[in-house]
Amino acid sequence: MNCTMSERFHLNTPLLESVSMSKQLGTTVYLKMENSQPSGSFKIRGIGHFCQQVGELSNVSGTPISCGNAGMAAAFVARKMGLPATVVVPSSTSQLVVRRLQDQGATVRIVGKVNSFFPQASRLLCNRLKMFEVFQEHHRNSRWQPFQNTIHRPGRAEGHASLIVEAAASLGPGVKPGAVLLSVGGGGLLCGVIHGLKDVGWMDVPIIAVETVGADCFNAAIKAGKVVTLVDITRLV
């Protein structure tokens, strides 16, 4: 059965104390258990919210360009909405991930190495599939790149903001964390957390963004003071 537009796709995940981390750091550490989401990651929050916004305006065929988690979320949401999805992944993607995407009903296109992946993927979809326009006013046939356009597509950030809203509800009134630690890649989660901190009045809570050495595009951009392109991506995790 397809989901209606009023239904959300993500779960309200538990906020659990990590006893081992708390012991090591000498303070209470809580983990937001996003691994329990239907698609396996927080990505379903932003992509699900984005798809609902798009779906309210038109029937849309989604084409997420992804290295994994974003594609899984988009494939799951597309299946629930009864819409086709083509997920474009780099050649380094494992067969297990490809099978999982196909199990969700998505068409999977494998294009190039990670360092040249996004330009090749965009050209492939534009030149051969003829199935989308770049995100425009009416949101028809959208292309979703997990590492680009976060600021210009606030729907995803608004979806990710629900993480902080849920955490605040779990901690209870008058309780706030000393800091929020998160991973950063394209910046969608980071932007969403900033939105969420505003929503719950926690703007004085610092954010610690952690990035993988070898794929540290955000760190490189901060140091350069501008958007940069990495020569290669040597590690994914």
Side-chain angles (χ1 to χ4, degrees), residues 65-68 89-94 110-121 147 214-215 217 229-236:
I65 301 173
S66 170
C67 287
V89 298
S91 57
S92 59
T93 304
S94 71
I110 302 174
V111 181
K113 295 182 178 180
V114 172
N115 60 334
S116 60
F117 165 56
F118 292 110
Q120 289 187 52
F147 302 124
C217 53
T229 299
L230 298 180
V231 176
D232 197 2
I233 295 177
T234 57
R235 289 183 64 186
L236 294 179

Side-chain angles (χ1 to χ4, degrees), residues 3-197:
C3 288
T4 65
M5 290 302 164
S6 62
E7 295 180 61
R8 67 184 190 187
F9 297 101
H10 69 267
L11 303 177
N12 185 334
T13 56
L15 184 70
L16 303 180
E17 180 183 357
S18 171
V19 176
S20 59
M21 289 186 181
S22 298
K23 184 177 180 180
Q24 290 180 37
L25 298 178
T27 188
T28 305
V29 176
Y30 290 99
L31 303 178
K32 196 77 167 80
M33 305 303 292
E34 289 299 283
N35 59 321
S36 60
Q37 292 290 358
S39 66
S41 80
F42 73 91
K43 296 282 188 178
I44 195 172
R45 293 178 181 271
I47 288 177
H49 183 70
F50 174 75
C51 287
Q52 285 181 314
Q53 289 183 320
V54 170
E56 287 171 355
L57 297 174
S58 63
N59 289 326
V60 56
S61 58
T63 308
I65 301 173
S66 170
C67 287
N69 286 333
M72 283 301 304
F76 175 86
V77 171
R79 180 173 63 83
K80 288 293 187 179
M81 294 179 70
L83 298 173
T86 297
V87 180
V88 183
V89 298
S91 57
S92 59
T93 304
S94 71
Q95 284 301 306
L96 175 61
V97 171
V98 171
R99 286 196 300 271
R100 288 179 63 198
L101 289 166
Q102 292 171 335
D103 287 345
Q104 291 289 346
T107 299
V108 180
R109 299 275 179 163
I110 302 174
V111 181
K113 295 182 178 180
V114 172
N115 60 334
S116 60
F117 165 56
F118 292 110
Q120 289 187 52
S122 296
R123 286 195 297 271
L124 171 70
L125 292 171
C126 286
N127 296 335
R128 297 181 189 176
L129 299 183
K130 303 293 185 184
M131 66 181 296
F132 68 84
E133 301 168 4
V134 175
F135 188 83
Q136 294 180 0
E137 182 179 356
H138 298 295
H139 305 331
R140 291 191 301 270
N141 296 332
S142 300
R143 170 181 59 181
W144 317 324
Q145 293 194 24
F147 302 124
Q148 294 183 2
N149 302 327
T150 299
I151 302 300
H152 300 294
R153 299 183 186 180
R156 278 186 279 177
E158 291 168 1
H160 296 328
S162 58
L163 272 164
I164 299 298
V165 176
E166 291 174 11
S170 296
L171 291 174
V175 181
K176 68 172 65 175
V180 175
L181 187 146
L182 53 81
S183 61
V184 61
L189 177 59
L190 176 59
C191 288
V193 166
I194 292 172
H195 273 274
L197 292 176

